Amino acid sequence: MFLLRPPGVYAPQGDTWLLARALRLAAMRPGAGVLDIGTGTGALALAAAQAGAGRVTAVDLSPWAVLAARLNATVRRVPVRVVRGDLTRPVTGETFDVILANPPYVPAPGRPTSRGGAALAWDAGPDGRALVDRLCTAVPPCLAPGGMLLMVHSALCGVEETLARLRDAGLKAAVVDRAMVPFGPVLRSRMSELVARGLIGPGQDTEELVVIRADQPRRI
C-alpha cells in the first residue's frame, strides 16, 4: 500500500501489518464503527474501511499525521473522518464496535517522553507503557457492547500487565497473534541500556510483537 507520509509521521511497518492481519482474522461485521487511535498515515483506518466498516474515525495528536491520513483517504476516495487530539478525547461520548491501537511502546531510558519530533511515535517512557496504560483506561468506555479492541505492542513492555489492566476494566482479553521481528534503528541504538535494565539479553536483536484482543461483554 503506497501512502503519502510527511517527515516525522510514523511509517507503517511490521507492527502495522500484524495489526491489519488481526483485523482481517477478527471478521469484523459489515458496517461496523471503527476508531483508529494514533493513526499516523491512516494505514489501519484505510484497511478497516476497505474491509467493510461503515464508519471510520482516525485520531492522532500530530498535525502532520492528521494531514497525511486525510490526504491518503482522499486519494483513495475512502470516507474516513480524521481528527486531531489525544487518544479518545476527540470522540468523548461516542462508542465503536472496533478500536485499533498501535501506540508508542519503545522503552526510552533517561529520555523524556514529552520531547517532540518523530520520537513521539515510538518513545513511551522508561518501561514503554506511558501510552499503553492510558489506553487500557481510555478505551473501555468507548467500546460498544460486544465491541473489541485490537492493540499491538512489544513484549518488552509487559504483555501480562496489559492483559491484567484490560481485564480489571471489565474486558475479556487475550493475545491473538505474535511475531518475532528484528530490532529497528531505535532499539539497536538503545541495546546497551536495555541489557543493563534486564529488558533484553546480551546479543539479543529481535523483539516479539503481540496483538491483544479485548472484548466488551454484551448487555443481557
Side-chain angles (χ1 to χ4, degrees), residues 1-61:
M1 181 188 293
F2 173 77
L3 295 165
L4 300 170
R5 185 178 68 86
V9 176
Y10 185 73
Q13 47 193 294
D15 51 5
T16 311
W17 309 129
L18 186 64
L19 190 53
R21 182 173 74 182
L23 176 64
R24 291 195 302 272
L25 295 175
M28 174 184 66
R29 69 168 180 81
V34 177
L35 174 64
D36 179 23
I37 301 175
T39 194
T41 60
L44 290 167
L46 292 171
Q50 292 166 349
R55 171 176 59 101
V56 181
T57 300
V59 176
D60 206 292
L61 189 60

Side-chain angles (χ1 to χ4, degrees), residues 3-6 9 36 39-43 45-46 58-60 62-76 78 80-83:
L3 295 165
L4 300 170
R5 185 178 68 86
V9 176
D36 179 23
T39 194
T41 60
L46 292 171
V59 176
D60 206 292
S62 163
W64 289 109
V66 170
L67 174 62
R70 286 176 178 166
L71 286 173
N72 286 318
T74 299
V75 166
R76 285 166 178 74
V78 175
V80 175
R81 175 174 62 132
V82 186
V83 293

